[in-house]
Amino acid sequence: MRAARIFGGFPSQAGQPILALPRIIVRGRALPRRNNMFGDGSVIKAVLGLAILGAAVSGCTTPLVNSPVDVTRFHLGAPLERGSVIVEPLPGGAAASIEFQTYAAAVNTELLTSGYTVPATGAPAQYLAVVSFTRTSRDVGPARSPVSIGFGGGVGSGGYRGGGVGLGGGISFPIGKPKTRELIASELGVQIRRRSDGTVIWEGRAQTVADVRAPEAVAANSAGKLARALFRGFPGESGRTITVK
């Protein structure tokens, strides 16, 4: 008489394939298998319950994407002059739009922090800060579901004295329908021009992306984030792109 060997919680006769208990994986961690749950069908119920739960939460548990800001600045290398400044839109832009005013206010705050001043009443500004901005949306591929189910199987043979050979394998699949994600890409550009002759003495560009559900996707928040990154360490190293977290 040959002894049966155990693979994955089920006894099998020598050389006969067996099916292991389902293995539930949540965020990369496998839940323990319980052999005594199979007889009353509670494993199947648990699997179905997790499948329904995974389908319901897979979309809302997708991590929000909030990227750092890529910043590039250019200037003539000499110490920058300071003086009074006003913020204007890029020619052709809509100065009266609420969105422009949001970005203009964020840039003006950083200019004053960097040493520029508000013009005296009735006096022209010495410098113009010309502001441009863009906001675009794009879809990206679906994120991997945080819940998956794995099944394993094996073939074994052996005897009373413990000798034997076993082979096994498994497969897993995610739960929940994949969903594409929408990202908002924001860019802020600023040129500081000498008003007397129109010479550009400094210019910079800042770019970032954010999940459409994230606070940084709102213009009021992205404007401040981009402006702070753009003027960090003003005037910055000319011609070098840095990443500001």
Side-chain angles (χ1 to χ4, degrees):
M1 177 177 179
R2 300 178 62 84
R5 292 182 62 80
I6 305 299
F7 288 85
F10 293 91
S12 67
Q13 299 299 324
Q16 296 299 316
I18 50 85
L19 177 65
L21 280 171
R23 182 177 53 170
I24 313 302
I25 303 172
V26 179
R27 293 192 176 278
R29 300 183 60 183
L31 302 183
R33 311 184 212 200
R34 303 188 183 278
N35 299 349
N36 59 5
M37 295 170 60
F38 184 76
D40 61 2
S42 56
V43 165
I44 302 302
K45 294 177 183 178
V47 171
L48 293 177
L50 280 173
I52 295 172
L53 177 62
V57 304
S58 61
C60 62
T61 57
T62 301
L64 300 183
V65 176
N66 293 305
S67 298
V69 183
D70 292 330
V71 174
T72 308
R73 281 82 66 95
F74 297 94
H75 52 81
L76 302 178
L80 287 186
E81 312 152 7
R82 302 292 200 275
S84 60
V85 65
I86 59 172
V87 178
E88 292 188 349
L90 190 70
S97 72
I98 295 176
E99 195 166 22
F100 168 77
Q101 293 173 13
T102 299
Y103 281 89
V107 170
N108 190 65
T109 297
E110 298 304 320
L111 285 168
L112 297 180
T113 301
S114 299
Y116 288 88
T117 60
V118 177
T121 303
Q126 296 171 281
Y127 298 95
L128 302 177
V130 181
V131 173
S132 64
F133 64 90
T134 60
R135 285 170 52 84
T136 58
S137 64
R138 66 173 183 265
D139 292 335
V140 296
R144 184 181 180 88
S145 172
V147 182
S148 63
I149 297 179
F151 292 94
V155 176
S157 63
Y160 284 112
R161 303 190 182 278
V165 177
L167 299 176
I171 186 171
S172 65
F173 55 90
I175 299 175
K177 183 179 179 181
K179 296 181 179 180
T180 59
R181 294 176 295 165
E182 184 180 358
L183 299 182
I184 302 296
S186 303
E187 178 176 323
L188 171 65
V190 179
Q191 286 186 343
I192 301 178
R193 301 176 180 176
R194 191 181 296 118
R195 187 164 194 167
S196 59
D197 57 9
T199 301
V200 176
I201 64 171
W202 182 92
E203 66 178 305
R205 180 179 64 252
Q207 301 170 309
T208 191
V209 296
D211 190 288
V212 70
R213 300 166 295 171
E216 288 79 2
V218 179
N221 297 328
S222 66
K225 178 180 179 178
L226 290 170
R228 287 189 297 271
L230 185 57
F231 284 90
R232 177 176 292 188
F234 181 84
E237 184 177 345
S238 183
R240 180 188 176 193
T241 298
I242 62 172
T243 299
V244 179
K245 296 182 179 180

